[in-house]
Amino acid sequence: MSEPNQEKLDAFLGKMVGDLGAIATGAGVLLGDRLGLFKALREGGKMTAVELSTRTGTQERLVREWLSGQAAAGYVDYDEASDKFYLNAEQELVFADENSPAFMAGAFEFLSALWLDEEKVRQAFQSGKGVGWHDHSACLFRGTERFFRPGYNANLIDSWLPALEGVVEKLERGVDVADVGCGHGASTVLMAQAFPNSRFVGFDYHAPSIERARKAAEVAGVGVNTRFDVAAAKSYTGTYDLVTFFDCLHDMGDPTGAATHVHGSLKPDGTWMIVEPFAHDHLAANLNPVGRVYYAASTFVCTPASVSQEVGLALGAQAGEARLRKVVTGGGFKRLRRAAETPFNMVLEARP
């Protein structure tokens, strides 16, 4: 073994300190999110630890320690003169505003499942049997919705759907839409609110998620044009003008089989909208901060989920357009194009 370069070792250890701090602070974000501390800071402005604890019904000494740690991370601001803590405008958008396109607190809830389910995934590495989506801790399901919903809020209605050929005009007139792998229904409800003349059905094989989606539709007031049914991507019923897959195709054991089923469920002039995590086609190009998050999530959730199913193709969350194209065309689609993209997602439009 070669001797380590001391300067490089020191730099790498410095990186480790930063990474360890991020991991530790992340647990604090989850704690503050669940206790309502961030939202209380947003509503109350500059507050001492005593004032925040009183407002939230929590223990002052623990709240002060939490505030200090978040301030050290730069997630909360601190005014030394008044000994008060507060959120600046940017921190509010990231931690306290659920409707903000920059909201990230849900991501920490999602990522907590990676730690909680490490033993299950470790066993899957050894057995090769994978870990089904339904076998994960419940925080994964709610965290996934809260992680992806801000991106959908920011892009789906104003950017992604308009990028599809003639789809918005159809939705405005009134057509039938299937949202497959809908989870808690965030994407389905958003579309139903924007296009009340169209009819939406959300499908997911995970029954508890479907129950949560039905409640979300009721709260949003879209029950008239929306329903949710338990069904898998290869067995849902009906014929549709638009089928949507949001961040789920790569999780499927047999995505080509799913593509074949979509092809058979579409009307002749229908459209399949596929939203997937953004990725380049080659590994080296994905070795960046976004790829780091997606590969970690894929190691613990996406790839084990696919391996646990029939075929087990295991595309992974960084599949890239070339591999996705092979899946889509393998299902019988003749036309496929990248309609839109963000730093976190790519939107593909497939036509029969």
Side-chain angles (χ1 to χ4, degrees):
M1 183 180 72
S2 59
E3 288 295 321
N5 178 287
Q6 190 61 47
E7 289 186 3
K8 291 182 178 179
L9 177 59
D10 291 343
F12 189 59
L13 289 173
K15 172 180 167 56
M16 289 298 100
V17 171
D19 288 351
L20 289 171
I23 293 169
T25 305
V29 170
L30 183 63
L31 181 67
D33 180 51
R34 289 180 172 173
L35 288 173
L37 299 177
F38 288 116
K39 288 184 173 63
L41 277 172
R42 181 193 186 194
E43 295 164 359
K46 290 187 177 183
M47 286 187 284
T48 64
V50 172
E51 291 168 336
L52 181 58
S53 65
T54 300
R55 191 181 186 97
T56 56
T58 51
Q59 206 275 339
E60 181 273 333
R61 182 63 188 88
L62 296 178
V63 168
R64 183 172 184 85
E65 207 71 3
W66 177 83
L67 284 166
S68 301
Q70 296 297 300
Y75 291 0
V76 167
D77 281 354
Y78 175 61
D79 179 30
E80 184 177 4
S82 64
D83 193 32
K84 290 187 176 184
F85 299 84
Y86 63 99
L87 295 177
N88 62 42
E90 295 74 28
Q91 292 162 346
E92 284 188 4
L93 290 176
V94 171
F95 295 121
D97 185 356
E98 292 265 358
N99 295 316
S100 161
F103 182 71
M104 293 292 285
F108 290 88
E109 184 172 18
F110 167 85
L111 292 173
S112 67
L114 276 57
W115 289 91
L116 289 171
D117 297 334
E118 182 272 335
E119 183 177 352
K120 294 178 182 178
V121 175
R122 175 162 31 95
Q123 292 173 358
F125 267 62
Q126 296 168 328
S127 69
K129 294 180 180 179
V131 180
W133 172 266
H134 56 279
D135 288 324
H136 281 279
S137 299
C139 59
L140 176 66
F141 315 133
R142 184 168 181 267
T144 297
E145 177 200 355
R146 298 177 75 216
F147 177 40
F148 285 119
R149 182 168 15 101
Y152 300 160
N153 288 343
N155 299 293
L156 177 54
I157 305 303
D158 295 333
S159 176
W160 293 349
L161 286 171
L164 306 178
E165 183 181 346
V167 166
V168 169
E169 292 81 357
K170 291 180 180 180
L171 289 168
E172 290 174 341
R173 289 197 306 267
V175 294
D176 295 301
V177 182
D179 188 11
V180 181
C182 66
H184 286 187
S187 52
T188 323
V189 168
L190 191 60
M191 291 188 290
Q193 289 174 318
F195 303 103
N197 292 331
S198 290
R199 299 159 296 278
F200 297 86
V201 186
F203 294 108
D204 201 290
Y205 89 96
H206 188 238
S209 289
I210 288 295
E211 286 301 315
R212 174 67 181 82
R214 288 169 178 163
K215 293 177 182 177
E218 182 179 349
V219 170
V222 295
V224 173
N225 67 330
T226 309
R227 79 170 198 270
F228 291 93
D229 293 336
V230 177
K234 291 168 60 177
S235 62
Y236 68 87
T237 58
T239 304
Y240 302 94
D241 300 272
L242 172 67
V243 175
T244 59
F245 277 45
F246 289 92
D247 292 292
C248 63
L249 182 64
H250 65 274
D251 293 315
M252 297 177 185
D254 183 14
T256 304
T260 301
H261 189 74
V262 173
H263 190 276
S265 73
L266 274 178
K267 295 178 182 179
D269 62 342
T271 300
W272 182 19
M273 176 184 182
I274 308 157
V275 178
E276 280 286 295
F278 182 86
H280 299 282
D281 291 327
H282 301 288
L283 170 62
N286 294 324
L287 302 182
N288 53 57
V290 174
R292 180 187 188 185
V293 174
Y294 279 141
Y295 277 124
S298 190
T299 299
F300 282 83
V301 180
C302 310
T303 308
S306 179
V307 170
S308 73
Q309 303 168 53
E310 60 178 346
V311 180
L313 186 60
L315 284 172
Q318 294 287 270
E321 185 176 339
R323 295 182 69 198
L324 294 171
R325 180 176 294 274
K326 185 176 180 180
V327 165
V328 173
T329 56
F333 286 86
K334 304 300 182 184
R335 292 175 288 171
L336 178 70
R337 71 180 181 95
R338 186 183 302 198
E341 65 180 57
T342 73
F344 298 99
N345 286 104
M346 68 171 72
V347 180
L348 303 178
E349 177 187 33
R351 305 291 295 274

